[in-house]
């Protein structure tokens, strides 16, 4: 675990997905896991617990909290009355059209039309649109940076609200958020380099940022754009 102020950064696995959390050890009798308003997971543990007891506690309960957080994120997105979206930082108006035929989407100029049967189809079509329209480009950029940095990892894509990218160092697997494609292409490059760099430097040490700077000198500016930490 990485020490940071009064908490430690730890990780656990849920369905082969690496979940990061903040661990606070307190002088208390009860231990619990919670999701914060900014979509992070915090573990508050009693200082009376052994490392083995703590790990068992986290493994038992963190999956439920994580899945609840994911479901909450999706319900929020489904409930949104989307008026616009962005693809590679370009703004598109979104219009919904009810249809009895096959669900689909299409672009007419800078307008994205979602042809849906029910309101719950909205998120599914948005995911499909991002996958179809942006994943090929992001794969191409990922392979580009793999060659330049002389690093190799399996690439996955997932609809994630609280993270732009996750690197599983042990299994050499990187997951990028589909929503990342809403940002400028320079930001996408930064996130890809950021996650690949973890294969060489697993934490956020000074060596890590020096390594990132070799490839993305203006990483601070790009990080501030998406508030990536």
């Amino acid at each position: 675990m990485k020490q940071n102020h009064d908490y430690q950064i730890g990780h656990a696995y849920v369905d082969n997905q690496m979940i990061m959390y903040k661990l606070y050890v307190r002088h208390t009798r009860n231990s619990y896991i919670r999701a914060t308003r900014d979509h992070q997971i915090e573990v508050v543990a009693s200082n009376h617990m052994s490392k083995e007891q703590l790990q068992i506690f986290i493994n038992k309960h963190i999956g439920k909290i994580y899945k609840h957080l994911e479901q909450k994120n999706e319900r929020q997105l489904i409930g949104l009355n989307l008026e616009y979206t962005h693809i590679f930082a370009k703004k598109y108006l979104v219009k919904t059209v009810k249809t009895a035929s096959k669900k689909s989407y299409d672009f007419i100029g800078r307008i994205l039309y979602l042809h849906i049967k029910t309101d719950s189809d909205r998120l599914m079509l948005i995911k499909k649109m991002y996958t179809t329209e942006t994943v090929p480009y992001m794969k191409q950029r990922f392979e580009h940076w793999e060659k330049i940095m002389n690093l190799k990892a399996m690439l996955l894509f997932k609809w994630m609200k609280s993270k732009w990218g996750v690197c599983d160092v042990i299994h050499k697997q990187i997951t990028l958020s589909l929503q990342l494609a809403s940002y400028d292409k320079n930001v996408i490059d930064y996130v890809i380099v950021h996650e690949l760099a973890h294969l060489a430097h697993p934490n956020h040490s000074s060596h890590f940022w020096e390594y990132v700077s070799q490839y993305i000198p203006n990483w601070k500016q790009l990080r501030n754009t998406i508030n990536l930490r």
Side-chain angles (χ1 to χ4, degrees), residues 149-192:
M149 300 173 72
N150 194 28
L151 296 168
K152 193 74 176 176
M154 180 185 297
L155 177 62
L156 300 174
F157 291 91
K158 187 177 180 181
W159 188 264
M160 300 187 292
K161 185 178 176 65
S162 58
K163 296 180 182 296
W164 299 114
V166 176
C167 179
D168 181 343
V169 177
I170 297 175
H171 298 95
K172 295 187 183 300
Q173 177 178 295
I174 290 175
T175 304
L176 296 179
S177 172
L178 286 171
Q179 296 100 304
L180 180 61
S182 65
Y183 284 91
D184 185 84
K185 293 179 177 180
N186 289 331
V187 173
I188 296 173
D189 278 352
Y190 161 65
V191 175
I192 290 173

Side-chain angles (χ1 to χ4, degrees), residues 193-211:
V193 169
H194 181 115
E195 299 306 332
L196 282 171
H198 278 307
L199 297 175
H201 301 279
N203 53 30
H204 289 115
S205 65
S206 59
H207 297 294
F208 170 85
W209 293 115
E210 289 171 4
Y211 187 68

Side-chain angles (χ1 to χ4, degrees), residues 79-212:
L80 287 176
N81 179 19
L82 295 176
E83 296 181 352
Y84 63 88
T85 190
H86 291 84
I87 303 175
F88 301 135
K90 293 182 179 179
K91 187 175 181 179
Y92 292 82
L93 292 175
V94 176
K95 292 191 175 182
T96 300
V97 180
K98 290 294 181 70
T99 179
S101 58
K102 184 178 179 180
K103 299 183 290 290
S104 63
Y105 72 88
D106 56 18
F107 291 92
I108 298 180
R110 298 292 285 271
I111 302 176
L112 168 63
Y113 288 92
L114 302 177
H115 303 274
I116 62 175
K117 293 182 179 180
T118 65
D119 289 339
S120 61
D121 294 331
R122 185 194 304 271
L123 180 61
M124 181 276 294
L125 270 183
I126 290 290
K127 289 181 179 180
K128 181 179 179 181
M129 182 275 294
Y130 271 108
T131 301
T132 303
E133 304 296 329
T134 68
V135 164
Y137 173 81
M138 290 196 285
K139 282 184 176 179
Q140 180 186 26
R141 297 306 296 169
F142 188 84
E143 293 170 358
H144 167 80
W145 286 110
E146 276 186 320
K147 292 178 182 178
I148 290 179
M149 300 173 72
N150 194 28
L151 296 168
K152 193 74 176 176
M154 180 185 297
L155 177 62
L156 300 174
F157 291 91
K158 187 177 180 181
W159 188 264
M160 300 187 292
K161 185 178 176 65
S162 58
K163 296 180 182 296
W164 299 114
V166 176
C167 179
D168 181 343
V169 177
I170 297 175
H171 298 95
K172 295 187 183 300
Q173 177 178 295
I174 290 175
T175 304
L176 296 179
S177 172
L178 286 171
Q179 296 100 304
L180 180 61
S182 65
Y183 284 91
D184 185 84
K185 293 179 177 180
N186 289 331
V187 173
I188 296 173
D189 278 352
Y190 161 65
V191 175
I192 290 173
V193 169
H194 181 115
E195 299 306 332
L196 282 171
H198 278 307
L199 297 175
H201 301 279
N203 53 30
H204 289 115
S205 65
S206 59
H207 297 294
F208 170 85
W209 293 115
E210 289 171 4
Y211 187 68
V212 171

